[in-house]
Amino acid sequence: MKIGLIADIHSNLPALTEVLADLAAEQVEAYLVLGDLVGYGPYPNECIEVLQKLPNAVIIVGNHDWAAIELEDISLFNAEARQAILWTRSVLNPGVKEYLGSLEYIISKDRYMLVHGSPRDPLDEYLVNVDIFEKNIPALKADICFIGHSHLPLYFSKQKDGGNPDVRPIKDQEVINLTPGTIHIINPGSVGQPRDRDARASYGIFDTEALAFTQKRKAYDVAAVQAKMTEQLLPKSLIDRLAEGI
Ligand code: ZN
């Protein structure tokens, strides 16, 4: 079965729409959504409505989702992220708030686990280097783990019989074989606010039979999202960064 992997949508409906259209064309039958459905962008309710209708979707929350429903302290957020969360709180429908509150922040199946930040700190830790990767190995509940949070497509691996840990960026169209006997942690990058200097939406496909991950990128109408953010008086730096992919 092919499963769509999407993370860090951040209320970006045009990006989400493009990604889901591509995943449907790829004949994906299920979806794993790795948190931060809202925050930063201008379409929080619309994105949740789309996600709620996805067939066979497993969805976990991220730190911005919890911040949007006042379960996470935003005093440590930067000023722009905080402003966007306050705006999000002011527009979220009650049903959407209830839905976000119902989601779990860590899910483990027999062959893989899902978490937004890191296995040992599911909502807040940025898993971005080998040192943090190694510290998280004891908290892994499966050999394959999918994460989000950093908005960077990254692949972490380590052979279980003692090989060296490794981390590297994942290129568009790259295929990673999730071979048994190795720990694999994959961040498919961000749908709604990529930060690897590529403005296109970033996501992936997990083929459970082939045991392979395929990285994908898709352009979307950045200008339309920027116009909507301007209309809603969201911070200029958040608007500008979408065009740069930073
Ligand atoms: Zn995020």
Side-chain angles (χ1 to χ4, degrees):
M1 181 170 62
K2 286 164 91 177
I3 302 179
L5 275 169
I6 56 182
D8 294 281
I9 298 156
H10 284 296
S11 304
N12 187 333
L13 184 67
L16 178 62
T17 304
E18 286 290 343
V19 166
L20 293 179
D22 182 58
L23 290 173
E26 293 272 9
Q27 297 179 313
V28 154
E29 292 173 58
Y31 300 85
L32 301 177
V33 183
L34 301 161
D36 278 7
L37 319 178
V38 302
Y40 295 133
Y43 303 98
N45 293 309
E46 294 90 337
C47 284
I48 301 286
E49 281 156 23
V50 167
L51 293 170
Q52 284 178 306
K53 288 188 195 128
L54 273 185
N56 304 317
V58 174
I59 303 178
I60 57 169
V61 276
N63 56 321
H64 283 252
D65 304 314
W66 266 28
I69 54 172
E70 299 179 46
L71 289 176
E72 169 123 347
D73 178 10
I74 56 171
S75 63
L76 293 178
F77 277 40
N78 65 47
E80 291 78 18
R82 198 161 54 234
Q83 192 182 329
I85 284 296
L86 294 174
W87 177 85
T88 302
R89 285 179 183 170
S90 75
V91 299
L92 274 188
N93 295 332
V96 167
K97 286 187 181 172
E98 199 177 318
Y99 172 73
L100 287 176
S102 75
L103 297 175
E104 296 177 63
Y105 55 78
I106 188 162
I107 287 180
S108 52
K109 307 264 182 193
D110 27 322
R111 286 168 82 186
Y112 60 88
M113 72 180 286
L114 315 176
V115 68
H116 178 67
S118 73
R120 67 173 182 174
D121 185 356
L123 287 167
D124 295 313
E125 185 171 51
Y126 289 93
L127 212 170
V128 287
N129 60 42
V130 161
D131 182 46
I132 301 170
F133 170 42
E134 285 214 283
K135 288 185 171 132
N136 271 283
I137 288 174
L140 282 168
K141 301 265 190 290
D143 290 346
I144 300 172
C145 176
F146 298 111
I147 63 169
H149 198 39
S150 72
H151 299 204
L152 302 170
L154 289 176
Y155 172 48
F156 301 84
S157 62
K158 185 178 194 287
Q159 281 182 358
K160 292 179 83 175
D161 61 9
N164 288 328
D166 188 40
V167 56
R168 59 180 174 80
I170 314 173
K171 295 188 198 80
D172 186 18
Q173 301 299 326
E174 186 176 341
V175 177
I176 294 170
N177 291 311
L178 304 172
T179 43
T182 297
I183 291 165
H184 309 271
I185 300 184
I186 290 183
N187 187 332
S190 168
V191 168
Q193 194 202 72
R195 294 179 188 163
D196 61 339
R197 300 194 172 273
D198 181 340
R200 296 175 299 168
S202 185
Y203 54 105
I205 296 173
F206 172 33
D207 186 325
T208 57
E209 269 118 65
L211 270 187
F213 169 85
T214 304
Q215 178 69 38
K216 301 216 66 178
R217 301 301 287 243
K218 185 90 189 282
Y220 69 94
D221 192 347
V222 172
V225 182
Q226 291 179 312
K228 181 80 172 173
M229 290 174 79
T230 303
E231 188 187 308
Q232 298 297 335
L233 306 177
L234 284 159
K236 185 171 184 305
S237 63
L238 297 182
I239 297 170
D240 292 345
R241 71 188 300 177
L242 291 180
E244 312 285 328
I246 55 171

